[in-house]
Every structure is written in structure tokens, then in C-alpha cells.
Amino acid sequence: MATVVGMGPVGDRGASEKGELVKPFAPEKAKEIIMSLQQPAIFCNMVFDWPAQHWNVKYLSKLLCGKQIRFRMGMKKIDTVPQFETVCSYVDATLEEFLAWNCGQGVSIDGPFSHYDNSKFWAYADYKYLASVFQDNTDVLQNVVWSDFGFPGRNGRESTLWIGSVGANTPCHLDSYGCNLVFQVQGRKRWHLFPPEDTAFLYPTRIPYEESSVFSKVNVVNPDLKHFPQFLKAQRHMVTLYPGQVLFVPRHWWHYVESIDPITVSINSWIELEEDHQARVEEAITRMLVCAMKAAEDPTNTKAWLNPTEVEGTSHEINCQYLNGAISAYLEHNKIAERLTPTEFQKNGEHRVETSLKKRKLGAHIRAKKKKSLSHKLATNIAKPKKIPFGLDLIPVLPSLQNESSERGISESNVKDLVMENEGHLGKLNSAEEQPVMNKAEIPFADNIVSDNTTSPSQPLISTDDLLDCLVNPKVISLVAQLLLQKRTCNF
């Protein structure tokens, strides 16, 4: 396991002759590394001078002056079913009230957390867009300095805040858009990461639905191997993120995140990528299919399938407008790209994207502008380094060792039970590993459905969710998007 010890300030390393602290990577070099990395990695000694390094909960409570924020409440229990946001409850409270509850014992007598025993529940103020949280004090947005990583002008305005108690977690998912930089401010978080080529082994689903979030059916810290046997083949990368460190999560890497200290504070920013233009079209198609089928199934019960963070309307008309807007933006981007030389594109590509990178991650006031501008041309026109400079200041997140079963949530008894009850299926998996096989990403999506829903007279018929799992398979959606774009281009 690539557990990284907290290193804090640079100390003697990275000091100039005058005794001044020097960051290990210049902004241009940091951006070059980010655009070249194909695996998660941790940057150390890059944020020691950020004012936001002091943003612990006590400090933030003073900045917010009694402002309420919404906390997601979950249960501290180990279950084989992921604790999705649709099954959580929500509390509006100040950070002072959160601190009092978190530091208290059992159930408080009064206050917004009065119904929640802190020994049984965790609280998580997640996905809080800083521009909205500090709309009355926008000067503090400059305390977050992503320009140090090679993104000029990027600060707290393009960032989100995460405040949680011990046990608070985010279900395992991948983000359809961008790559991710995460700055750990207070406490520690444990990250469980899986590469994109393991997607088939994570049993992806779009229920609960949220734009650009593809969830896993597997509780990766306590997997149900009887229902999800292929998860055994997924390669976990696990790391503990300490205060003062910045984690880079590449595009389409799965991640499950849990707070392991009494209080944790994180700040992150999703960086736009060239691939997001087509991904936005694919997400619009997925949205139309999911909303149409699930709304028809039960029009009065959207809470059962629509994630609470998905606040936009779900009418067919709105979804059609969204799809057409995504297609138009894609085609306009391509037309501009064709006219510009690589040098011009790189220069103009520094303009900020005003349309939604990820709806739940960007404020509504930003989306309302509806401006069209050229996105960062990050993945292209940047010279890739010959060798990634891994070392004390850039630590790769490596695959976990197979003998770390207890930390992976897979006990020996789990595996033994699975072998005994499903020996034939595992035998096929093991024999397949000894023979030439397709790339993991090319394994037919139907394998997931078969292993998750084996045919039996006593089992229910195919459900709407089963059909959706097939219809919104990324390969199917990608093909539909290409056909739509081709049809739209021919009509011009």
C-alpha cells in the first residue's frame, strides 16, 4: 500500500541560499507533469505558503460568521451495499454547531444534529462550491492558488470545499469530465483508487443518476463477492492523504474516499480536458435515457433514483435543450480548433470554461451566464517530460499488495465462502487469467449483467435498471454520440 507519511513544510529541502523556501516544481513544470501522469500521484511541498493551509474548521467558522451549510448524514456501519446519497438524510447547520456535535458525546439535547448520535452517524458537507459559500466574502477565494500548478488565474472560484467527521465517505465512482487536484487541509483521508481499465470489474451503474458521476454497485471496503465476483480482479491503489499534500487523480480513475480523522477539510478543483467536449454530449444522451425511462416508471418518486445533488430539471424538453447545446458546443469547438494553429490554440486555450464542467461541481450563477469560450487545450501542445520526476516531492500511488486483504475489506472468509459456493465461476476466471485475454476495458459489458443477475426461475424479471445498465454502457453511448455528431455535421 502506498501510504504516504505526512511531510509538512519543506524544512531544509527546497531552501534557497537566502533561507527562503522554494517549491520543488515551477508552475510550468507542475502542469507538464499533471498532463503527462497516467496514474495518481501526490505532490508535496507545493502549498506551504497558501493562506488556505490555515482553513481548519475553527478558522472557517469565523470566516463564515454563522452561515449555515448543508451536511449529509450517513451511518457508521459496514454493509455490503454502498451508502448512496439517495439513502442519506440532510441537516442545515453552522460549523460551530457541527463542532459542538462532533466533539460531544452521543445525542445532543438540542440543535440541528439532535437526532443523530455521533457515535453512530457521520456528517459530511461535501461538494460545497467556494464561490457560493463565500459569496459575501469573495476576497478569500484568492487563498487557494492553483496557479502554482500551472493554471493561471485559477483559485477558489473554481474549487469546492469538503468538511467531514470520521467515517464520512463518498461512494465509489468515476468522473466523466476532467482530472482532479485535491488539497488536504485538515485531518487525513484514505483514498481507494482503481484504474479506468478496471471499469468492468467495478460493476458501473447510472442509478442513482447524477450528471458525470458513474457509480459502482460495489461497496469497495466491504464487497459482496457473491454478487460481484469480478471485483476480485480489480487492482486497488490505496493511499492516505495528509494535510499539506495535493493528490492528482487522472481522468476516469475510480475513487472511494473516507475520512479517518475526527475532522477533515479538503479543497479540490476539476481541471478541464480536451476530451470533455465529446464527454458532455455523451452525458446529455445518458441523461435523456435515464430520465425518460425512470420518470416513466414512477413519475412521483424521483428521490428513489435522482441524486440529491442533481438539482436541474429532468423534463424531456430541458434534456433536449441540453443535448442540442452540448452538440453545438462540440461542433463550435472543433471549428475554432481547425482554424487555429497549435501555437494560437495553446495561447487562446487559457480562457476559462464558462459552461458547466460538472453540474454538481459548479455554481448555478456561473452556469447562468451561458457564455461560450474555448476550453483549456491541456492534453495537447504541451511537451511531455521524458521521465516523471518521482521522488520525495512527487510520490506515485502504487497498487496495493495482494496480502492487504483486511485493509481492502476482503477477508479470507469472504474469499473462501465465494470459492465454495461459486467454485465453478471462479475456476473460469482463474483459467482465463492463464490464457491470452482481451484488454480489461474490452471485456464485454454483458459479463457484468450475467454475473450480477444469474438466470433462475425464482429471480425477478429484467428490470428498468437492468435495461439501463445496457443502454447507457459507455461503449453504446459513445457510438450513439458519434452517430449524432455525424448526422448534425452532415446537416450543416
Side-chain angles (χ1 to χ4, degrees), residues 12 74 103 107-108 123 143 166 199 205 244 251 262 301 303 311 318 341-342 346 355 359 368 397 400 404 416:
D12 293 334
C103 298
V107 182
S108 59
N143 291 357
V166 64
T199 291
T205 180
R251 182 175 188 262
N301 190 21
K303 291 183 179 180
V311 297
I318 291 176
T341 65
Q346 186 174 359
T355 51
K359 286 193 173 182
V397 179
S400 301
E404 294 171 355
K416 288 180 180 178

Side-chain angles (χ1 to χ4, degrees), residues 143-170:
N143 291 357
V144 181
V145 196
W146 296 115
S147 56
D148 282 352
F149 287 85
F151 305 101
R154 198 178 194 94
N155 53 42
R157 187 170 298 279
E158 298 83 17
S159 306
T160 51
L161 178 68
W162 310 67
I163 301 172
S165 63
V166 64
N169 62 80
T170 304

Side-chain angles (χ1 to χ4, degrees), residues 124 164-169 188-190 257-261 264:
Y124 207 6
S165 63
V166 64
N169 62 80
R188 297 168 300 160
K189 280 186 173 179
R190 182 174 293 125
V257 190
E258 55 184 337
S259 298
I260 58 176
D261 279 332
T264 60

Side-chain angles (χ1 to χ4, degrees), residues 322-352:
Y322 184 62
L323 174 59
N324 279 282
I327 291 175
S328 296
Y330 174 90
L331 296 174
E332 181 180 350
H333 167 78
N334 280 3
K335 288 169 62 179
I336 295 175
E338 289 173 359
R339 292 200 304 265
L340 296 178
T341 65
T343 303
E344 291 173 326
F345 199 111
Q346 186 174 359
K347 180 179 179 181
N348 286 277
E350 294 301 327
H351 293 295
R352 194 71 84 247

